[in-house]
Amino acid sequence: MISYPFIRIGCCCPSCKTPIEEIKNYCKRLYQDRQFIENSLRYSFSNGLLEGQVNRLKTIKRMMYGRAGVALLRIRMLFQFT
């Protein structure tokens, strides 16, 4: 179990004793994702920059939907990223 001052991982398990179904489901999902949660707290790596570039490209494509082909998209991308 990993223990941080602000969060405690490992308290949720598949045999949660609460009678409330929503809390049982929440605990079950936390338990299934525990490795991902621990890694996000342990390491400082992030793909935020890449996600931002992908989001920007998708926004440009959405704005151009139905207007033109690949040539205009290329020009627009080059103009937007500079």
Side-chain angles (χ1 to χ4, degrees):
M1 178 185 333
I2 295 176
S3 182
Y4 294 92
F6 54 91
I7 193 167
R8 184 179 169 99
I9 298 174
C11 59
C12 294
C13 63
S15 61
C16 190
K17 303 293 186 211
T18 182
I20 302 170
E21 192 64 32
E22 289 81 6
I23 294 178
K24 282 184 185 179
N25 290 337
Y26 179 73
C27 286
K28 185 173 85 172
R29 297 289 182 228
L30 271 182
Y31 185 77
Q32 290 172 351
D33 293 340
R34 71 187 180 282
Q35 188 65 44
F36 303 117
I37 295 169
E38 288 174 7
N39 288 340
S40 69
L41 294 171
R42 186 176 293 145
Y43 302 111
S44 62
F45 301 116
S46 172
N47 65 344
L49 293 174
L50 176 66
E51 292 295 332
Q53 297 297 330
V54 170
N55 186 28
R56 185 178 300 161
L57 176 61
K58 286 183 179 182
T59 302
I60 292 170
K61 284 176 63 177
R62 219 175 288 122
M63 287 181 345
M64 293 182 49
Y65 181 73
R67 293 190 187 170
V70 177
L72 184 59
L73 176 62
R74 182 179 179 278
I75 292 170
R76 187 114 187 206
M77 281 177 35
L78 291 173
F79 177 72
Q80 187 76 19
F81 292 136
T82 57

